[in-house]
Amino acid sequence: MRATEFLLLVLVGWTAVGALGIGISFAQRQRRKAVRHVGWIVGVWAIYLAVLIGVSRLQPQKVVAVGTPQCYDEMCFTVLGFDEVPGYLLHGGRLVRVKVGIENRGHKPESESLIRAYLLDTQGRSWSEVPGLAGVRLTSRLSAGESSMSEPVFKVDNGALPYGLTLTHGKWQPGVLVIGDPDSLFHQPTIARLAR
């Protein structure tokens, strides 16, 4: 557990204890004391969120090269390249397949159940994965030490030139409140730059 994750855990625990104290103060009809505790909780969270957003905005966007692992605890994802899927005639678009190696470096079966991939083009547009075409999913559970290959597929416009792949856990998970996390509020996503 990183220090910033521990800090969030401590803050959530402190907030829970404070909320219990507020409830007790209201039950004992100590309204002024309860309001003071609410003020402390709101104030501390406001400072925490200001630091979180400030760090997110000040950190430069991280761009990693093809072949560089991106690890989330024990699960690592390595973008290895991309190609066009031949034989598919799509109205106004084409299919691009990205090769992503998945490895469990832990000591027990693991998966990243919230991981999602987005293809970015040179114009800054984002393309979602076409479901059902990847074969092995990025969210697959792997045994300890096991590795696999996922090939997410993206439908892009004919003129789109792939630039990079972004891996994210989305907006509705605890990482959005962890200072310095790639998925934290207003943080620019890490891009695995695709190169021919």
Side-chain angles (χ1 to χ4, degrees):
M1 178 179 288
R2 294 177 293 162
T4 52
E5 292 171 329
F6 181 72
L7 176 62
L8 176 61
L9 191 63
V10 168
L11 182 57
V12 168
W14 176 79
T15 302
V17 170
L20 182 63
I22 291 167
I24 292 170
S25 295
F26 273 124
Q28 294 177 345
R29 301 186 189 279
Q30 297 176 343
R31 182 176 162 78
R32 182 174 288 156
K33 186 177 180 181
V35 169
R36 188 172 65 242
H37 290 311
V38 168
W40 271 104
I41 290 173
V42 170
V44 169
W45 271 101
I47 292 168
Y48 181 85
L49 290 174
V51 170
L52 171 79
I53 293 168
V55 169
S56 292
R57 300 305 293 165
L58 291 174
Q59 283 185 326
Q61 186 167 36
K62 186 176 178 182
V63 178
V64 298
V66 166
T68 304
Q70 295 179 64
C71 297
Y72 305 92
D73 295 322
E74 287 83 19
M75 294 297 291
C76 294
F77 300 84
T78 306
V79 176
L80 301 170
F82 76 99
D83 60 4
E84 282 195 37
V85 180
Y88 285 90
L89 298 174
L90 300 173
H91 178 67
R94 64 191 204 283
L95 294 179
V96 174
R97 176 178 47 216
V98 181
K99 293 175 176 55
V100 181
I102 310 169
E103 182 183 5
N104 178 358
R105 295 183 178 177
H107 301 291
K108 61 182 181 178
E110 295 280 346
S111 71
E112 281 294 321
S113 59
L114 297 177
I115 199 85
R116 301 289 177 267
Y118 295 94
L119 183 71
L120 304 174
D121 68 11
T122 54
Q123 297 175 32
R125 295 178 294 183
S126 177
W127 307 90
S128 298
E129 182 180 350
V130 177
L133 297 179
V136 175
R137 296 178 307 175
L138 290 170
T139 57
S140 294
R141 189 173 186 82
L142 300 180
S143 299
E146 185 181 6
S147 61
S148 186
M149 179 72 69
S150 179
E151 296 183 338
V153 176
F154 305 87
K155 180 186 175 204
V156 300
D157 289 345
N158 280 327
L161 298 173
Y163 170 73
L165 188 80
T166 294
L167 298 171
T168 180
H169 289 90
K171 297 178 181 177
W172 305 111
Q173 47 83 31
V176 298
L177 294 177
V178 175
I179 295 171
D181 190 90
D183 285 325
S184 64
L185 289 172
F186 300 106
H187 197 286
Q188 294 189 62
T190 299
I191 298 174
R193 187 166 183 175
L194 299 169
R196 286 269 185 208

